Amino acid sequence: MTPNHPFVPALTRLAPTRRRRRAAGPAAAGSGIRRRSALAGVLSTGLAVLLSSTAAATTGSGAAAVPPSPQPRAAQAEVPAGVTAGVAVFDRQTGTFTEQVNSAGQFRSASVVKILIALDLLWNRSPDALAPSDRSRVDAMLRGSDDSAASHFWANNGQGAVIDRMVPRLGLTDTARPPASHPGFWGYTALSARDTVRIYRYLLDSAPAAVRDYVLNNLRRSTRCATDGYDQHFGIAGAFDKPWAVKQGWSGFDSGGCTAAASSRTTGTAGSDGGPGTRAAGSAAGIRAVDLARPALHTTGVVGAGDRSIVAVLTLHPGGTPYGKAYTDVGRLTRSLHVPGAARPAGTWIGTWGSGVRIRSQATTGSAALTTLPAGAEVLVACQKRGQQVSVPPYVNDWWAYLPQYGGYMTNIYLSSPDNQVPGVPVC
């Protein structure tokens, strides 16, 4: 558990003060938006009433005044500064969207396209008909976002032809194969939030039952640590309690938690973009409107009892954004959404600092390390208790936070709080 700049007192004294207190997070930002939206709504309604009254006066007493049109619900989605997002939330119970922000905007799919790769493989075929080796690959591709499995199916089934087949089958409108200059990069497939909803609607409502159950059961068993060493339980997986099923995507980051050492993967590797070889940053960005340069982080899936809501959040971040920062921004955006049927976990979201911060099975440094946090990612804290004293000069602290989504503890030293014991968080 080492800080970004270990044992540099001037810097580490400042680090915990960077805490984004919950009151200053998405809820507070949303209340400001809602206050402004409410004022705008009052003014709009007043203007509509005035215009209606004028219309009634000019048409005579025999003509009914036209009532003002109902005001649309203020958007709930809170997109963090600097983030480009495409958002769609579909309520299957009512058959309506509860959120749409740039829902037709095209993003590079990263690993979200693995659902289409799986559905193409299973088209007119039962999962039971797969060879054991292929079934193992699909399991790894959907649960752990395994890139080698995706590349195997992509190469064997015609590369971009996979997308060409799936577009008319599912009625997709914004999905397109990767550019001709990068045919092996399945992660460069163009995809939108609304097309992502269509993919899940097909899977839930139209796919053969065996295919639906097989794919969704794999997505329900998403592993926290992907096979490339990235923590993939951001967004939906962090914002809502189970039941959920998720397929995430990331591209253009250097290290994503889970492993203590920084990953060697970069923006040009198969692990991040879905294709062999390397490329200069942004070299393909001008090929079409889809941005292939900025770091991408996507969370997609179904949420709630009966898979009531489909959620698609596709995002791009400024160049050089650390994975933990994007992880946190996508989490805040996802938590701001109106998702019918979703249950939200209890606890307090608190920022962290430092890199290589481990989650332990007990409140001691000698207990088993469960995983490693993405550097700087927010965590959900349920409670805190005293444990082994930890020293990271100039800090000494014996308080530990329990993180229910990890099932373990982290020293409070790395929480962005000015006090050893975090105010407002109960004792375990």
Side-chain angles (χ1 to χ4, degrees):
M1 297 180 296
T2 57
N4 287 324
H5 300 276
F7 313 117
V8 182
L11 178 61
T12 54
R13 285 194 188 98
L14 291 174
T17 66
R18 293 197 300 267
R19 176 185 177 191
R20 297 180 180 88
R21 298 183 184 274
R22 198 175 188 188
S31 64
I33 293 171
R34 286 190 286 274
R35 285 194 295 270
R36 292 192 293 272
S37 298
L39 178 59
V42 169
L43 294 175
S44 298
T45 303
L47 179 59
V49 170
L50 177 61
L51 293 175
S52 298
S53 301
T54 303
T58 56
T59 55
S61 59
V66 178
S69 300
Q71 296 299 307
R73 180 182 62 82
Q76 298 295 306
E78 297 167 9
V79 180
V83 175
T84 299
V87 178
V89 178
F90 184 78
D91 181 357
R92 295 176 63 230
Q93 188 173 99
T94 63
T96 59
F97 284 92
T98 63
E99 301 278 0
Q100 289 195 85
V101 177
N102 186 31
S103 62
Q106 289 181 309
F107 294 73
R108 71 183 187 278
S109 67
S111 289
V112 177
V113 75
K114 290 170 182 172
I115 301 177
L116 289 179
I117 294 173
L119 290 176
D120 178 71
L121 179 69
L122 295 167
W123 200 260
N124 293 328
R125 179 190 303 180
S126 168
D128 292 338
L130 293 175
S133 58
D134 279 348
R135 188 170 179 121
S136 294
R137 287 188 182 99
V138 175
D139 293 348
M141 180 175 71
L142 296 179
R143 298 178 196 178
S145 201
D146 188 81
D147 293 334
S148 61
S151 295
H152 170 83
F153 294 126
W154 185 257
N156 288 352
N157 295 321
Q159 296 188 336
V162 170
I163 306 305
D164 295 342
R165 289 190 293 268
M166 293 308 298
V167 164
R169 286 169 174 172
L170 305 190
L172 307 178
T173 57
D174 312 312
T175 302
R177 61 158 61 201
S181 59
H182 292 72
F185 284 67
W186 39 260
Y188 283 0
T189 298
L191 189 64
S192 69
R194 69 180 182 182
D195 267 4
T196 304
V197 168
R198 290 185 181 110
I199 293 168
Y200 280 103
R201 290 187 69 185
Y202 164 79
L203 183 59
L204 290 160
D205 302 328
S206 303
V211 172
R212 176 196 66 215
D213 294 344
Y214 175 62
V215 172
L216 283 177
N217 285 341
N218 270 312
L219 299 184
R220 296 188 207 285
R221 298 171 69 180
S222 166
T223 59
R224 173 169 290 280
C225 295
T227 57
D228 64 358
Y230 279 69
D231 184 325
Q232 62 170 343
H233 276 188
F234 53 87
I236 294 168
F240 310 116
D241 284 334
K242 290 184 176 181
W244 45 248
V246 295
K247 186 68 208 78
Q248 318 281 57
W250 53 95
S251 173
F253 298 97
D254 290 333
S255 177
C258 281
T259 53
S263 169
S264 62
R265 300 186 186 278
T266 62
T267 56
T269 66
S272 60
D273 289 318
T278 60
R279 64 178 176 86
S283 63
I287 294 174
R288 56 179 179 172
V290 178
D291 189 320
L292 304 179
R294 282 184 289 168
L297 196 65
H298 311 321
T299 181
T300 76
V302 295
V303 180
D307 300 320
R308 175 168 174 177
S309 289
I310 300 171
V311 179
V313 177
L314 312 180
T315 64
L316 293 173
H317 302 259
T321 298
Y323 190 71
K325 172 67 164 60
Y327 190 107
T328 295
D329 282 346
V330 170
R332 292 178 175 181
L333 170 54
T334 306
R335 295 197 300 272
S336 77
L337 301 177
H338 174 44
V339 181
R344 298 173 187 266
T348 303
W349 288 97
I350 302 177
T352 65
W353 64 284
S355 62
V357 178
R358 292 179 176 84
I359 309 301
R360 302 279 183 178
S361 60
Q362 301 296 329
T364 67
T365 59
S367 59
L370 304 179
T371 189
T372 304
L373 289 178
E378 278 188 333
V379 293
L380 183 72
V381 177
C383 59
Q384 57 190 328
K385 71 175 187 179
R386 279 198 155 97
Q388 179 186 351
Q389 187 178 86
V390 177
S391 176
V392 179
Y395 303 111
V396 176
N397 197 342
D398 63 353
W399 283 92
W400 290 68
Y402 178 69
L403 312 183
Q405 295 181 331
Y406 296 83
Y409 297 84
M410 67 174 286
T411 171
N412 280 19
I413 283 178
Y414 290 101
L415 291 178
S416 297
S417 170
D419 303 314
N420 282 359
Q421 183 181 0
V422 181
V425 173
V427 175
C428 298

